[in-house]
Amino acid sequence: MSVVDGRAIAEAILASVKNEVATLGRVPKLTAITCAPNFETKQYLALKQRKATQVGIELVVLELPFETTTSECIEAIEAVAPETDGIVLQLPLPSHIDRDTVLATIPQHQDPDGFSFGEGDAACLPPVVGAIAVIAKQHHVSFLDKDIVILGQGRLVGKPIASYLQKLGAHPTIFTSYSREQVEALKRADIIVTGIGQPEYITGEMVKEGVVIFDAGASEDGGVVRGDVHPDVAPKASLFTPVPGGIGPITIAVLLQNLVSLVGSQIENN
């Protein structure tokens, strides 16, 4: 059984990003837009800022009030676009804001989060997908012809990873709600990817020996960050990504890597 050290992988990526930034000839700028952020969101943004500073990237956070409308959120993106290299819309947003309409406003060449993934060859690989791809490569995990189950179809995890796996020729089964079919599919699965944000939802008796676990779910439970998969699954898994310390740190590194790639492409095209 291998437990993934996401922090070590992230630091290796960040070291490479720092070297790339040094060759650009200027400081890349990333703007993160957030609306009425909760405690966890503020912590995550602070972590992004620390990692951006570590590699020589300027990260500016624009915090909008809860009352912000969809139109005002779009206007904020349009206002910062001319003066930044990348725009991150920090999810979640208040329910009264049309998330998808706002996300569609972010230009593809300024979208390090890869929300436009699948809509053009220039789109970045979404950070969670990039993290899973890096882990799979380092640990020689193949997705082809494997029985793959994805829990959730959100914009950050389920939807992009399903699209990515389908591009690789895999045929994942996606579940968005509890059912008997889901329970049976989990027990058969060779690979499970989850990002539903339900603390320790998957337990040891729900999976088979040798399963590969990519846990991209993280939620606060009693003051502790927990993944979707209970730690007691780890001994049964051939590969296990813990929470915290698994996929999470790598996603920030991939986000910054994406930004530098976008900046490099813009420099080449000018």
Side-chain angles (χ1 to χ4, degrees):
M1 184 265 291
S2 296
V3 175
V4 173
D5 186 347
R7 295 185 178 95
I9 294 173
E11 287 304 315
I13 295 172
L14 290 170
S16 175
V17 171
K18 186 175 182 177
N19 289 335
E20 291 181 52
V21 169
T23 68
L24 293 176
R26 66 178 180 85
V27 176
K29 182 177 180 180
L30 178 62
T31 301
I33 298 176
T34 181
C35 186
N38 58 23
F39 177 73
E40 289 78 15
T41 298
K42 288 181 178 180
Q43 280 192 316
Y44 192 49
L45 284 169
L47 180 58
K48 282 183 177 178
Q49 278 192 309
R50 289 199 299 274
K51 296 303 179 182
T53 300
Q54 178 181 328
V55 300
I57 292 172
E58 178 188 5
L59 193 156
V60 177
V61 177
L62 175 60
E63 185 173 327
L64 304 175
F66 178 83
E67 297 77 17
T68 300
T69 64
T70 299
S71 296
E72 289 170 338
C73 200
I74 290 171
E75 289 169 3
I77 290 172
E78 292 173 341
V80 302
E83 57 192 41
T84 194
D85 295 303
I87 300 170
V88 169
L89 185 66
Q90 192 66 48
L91 302 180
L93 298 173
S95 60
H96 64 271
I97 295 178
D98 188 332
R99 179 198 63 190
D100 291 344
T101 297
V102 175
L103 286 173
T105 308
I106 300 174
Q108 191 173 95
H109 68 277
Q110 293 179 306
D111 178 24
D113 260 329
F115 282 116
S116 55
F117 177 66
E119 299 173 10
D121 294 337
C124 291
L125 205 61
V128 170
V129 179
I132 289 173
V134 167
I135 295 168
K137 182 177 180 180
Q138 289 197 8
H139 290 270
H140 310 290
V141 175
S142 172
F143 296 103
L144 193 61
D145 297 326
K146 296 295 175 61
D147 195 338
I148 305 171
V149 169
I150 299 174
L151 296 190
Q153 202 173 19
R155 288 296 298 263
L156 294 176
V157 181
K159 186 176 179 180
I161 193 62
S163 176
Y164 173 72
L165 292 177
Q166 286 159 359
K167 286 178 181 294
L168 294 181
H171 301 284
T173 303
I174 304 164
F175 291 96
T176 58
S177 60
Y178 178 85
S179 65
R180 178 177 295 177
E181 289 77 15
Q182 181 204 86
V183 173
E184 294 171 351
L186 285 172
K187 289 181 178 179
R188 293 193 307 268
D190 301 309
I191 299 170
I192 297 171
V193 183
T194 179
I196 54 177
Q198 295 189 31
E200 301 179 355
Y201 174 80
I202 298 175
T203 56
E205 66 273 11
M206 297 169 68
V207 304
K208 71 178 185 180
E209 290 284 346
V211 66
V212 171
I213 297 286
F214 292 106
D215 188 352
S219 50
E220 186 273 336
D221 180 35
V224 178
V225 175
R226 303 186 191 277
D228 293 343
V229 184
H230 196 286
D232 71 7
V233 174
K236 295 186 73 172
S238 59
L239 184 69
F240 184 83
T241 63
V243 177
I247 288 174
I250 308 174
T251 62
I252 295 177
V254 172
L255 172 74
L256 300 176
Q257 186 178 56
N258 283 350
L259 177 72
V260 173
S261 295
L262 291 173
V263 173
S265 295
Q266 291 177 39
I267 291 173
E268 288 179 8
N269 295 330
N270 290 336

